[in-house]
Amino acid sequence: VYGDVNSTIAAALVAAKLHIPVAHVEAGLRSFDMTMPEEVNRRLTDQLSDLCLVTSPEAIGHLAAEGIGVQRSHFVGNPMIDTLLKNLDAFDTAKVRAEHALPGRYVLATLHRPANVDSPETAAALVEHLHGVADLAEVVIPVHPRGRATLLAAGLDDHPGVHVLEPLGYIDFIAAVRGAAAVVTDSGG
């Protein structure tokens, strides 16, 4: 199983109950914030896993602190970085800039964490901050469906310097990141 989404913990739980060995890719990553659903998923998935495939030496320490022995932990590197490096030639900033009418200089923003987009008050505060960024440089924000209604209700698109886009696929998104002057995000990835 990969990562920390709900399907990760669901698959690990089903496999454990069926006595199917589980390997967790990206094991041991921690935010230490148990209010994040992903943190709960990470910790429980690691406990259920027979093999914990970690992306950093620190992750082995996190697992050891939670009672997961080093014999179950294996440092394998970071598949996200491997994917990024494998696709470097595909990240065409000029193509994405043209296809999505991106400004010449922009800050790329993403907001999707439940703690940020589920609460209208929190979303409004973040929108206010993004408007402040847009006073300095245009902001391009592909909006995830999870928070779209809340962010738009908070006035996300009321600033002329904020460009709201539909979600982008991996290649286009990383090309947009590559072309950005800066990135503002709540994503751990």
Side-chain angles (χ1 to χ4, degrees):
V1 295
Y2 191 100
D4 57 15
V5 295
N6 289 338
S7 59
T8 303
I9 183 62
L13 183 59
V14 169
K17 288 185 176 208
L18 294 175
H19 307 286
I20 298 170
V22 176
H24 183 203
V25 180
E26 288 193 336
L29 295 180
R30 296 292 181 266
S31 67
F32 302 102
D33 180 355
M34 288 300 286
T35 66
M36 293 176 60
E38 299 89 349
E39 184 72 358
V40 173
N41 294 349
R42 289 177 196 130
R43 289 176 179 253
L44 293 175
T45 300
D46 287 340
Q47 290 297 322
L48 294 170
S49 295
D50 300 279
L51 288 176
C52 292
L53 307 175
V54 303
T55 60
S56 70
E58 295 82 12
I60 294 173
H62 297 170
L63 294 170
E66 295 169 14
I68 296 173
V70 293
Q71 72 280 5
R72 286 173 48 200
S73 303
H74 302 276
F75 177 55
V76 296
N78 191 328
M80 289 180 69
I81 298 301
D82 294 342
T83 301
L84 178 75
L85 294 175
K86 182 173 174 44
N87 288 287
L88 275 179
D89 293 339
F91 305 135
D92 188 340
T93 300
K95 177 180 166 264
V96 168
R97 191 181 304 273
E99 284 180 3
H100 300 283
L102 302 183
R105 183 174 181 272
Y106 62 91
V107 172
L108 185 71
T110 67
L111 292 173
H112 75 283
R113 296 250 177 239
N116 291 333
V117 300
D118 286 356
S119 159
E121 296 79 20
T122 303
L126 290 169
V127 164
E128 183 179 337
H129 288 296
L130 283 179
H131 287 177
V133 172
D135 289 339
L136 303 172
E138 294 189 67
V139 173
V140 171
I141 180 166
V143 180
H144 190 280
R146 172 170 186 81
R148 186 173 200 78
T150 307
L151 291 169
L152 292 176
L156 178 64
D157 59 350
D158 291 346
H159 191 291
V162 175
H163 307 272
V164 176
L165 302 180
E166 292 298 316
L168 300 174
Y170 177 75
I171 299 293
D172 284 354
F173 181 76
I174 300 300
V177 168
R178 194 178 210 183
V183 176
V184 174
T185 184
D186 62 0
S187 174

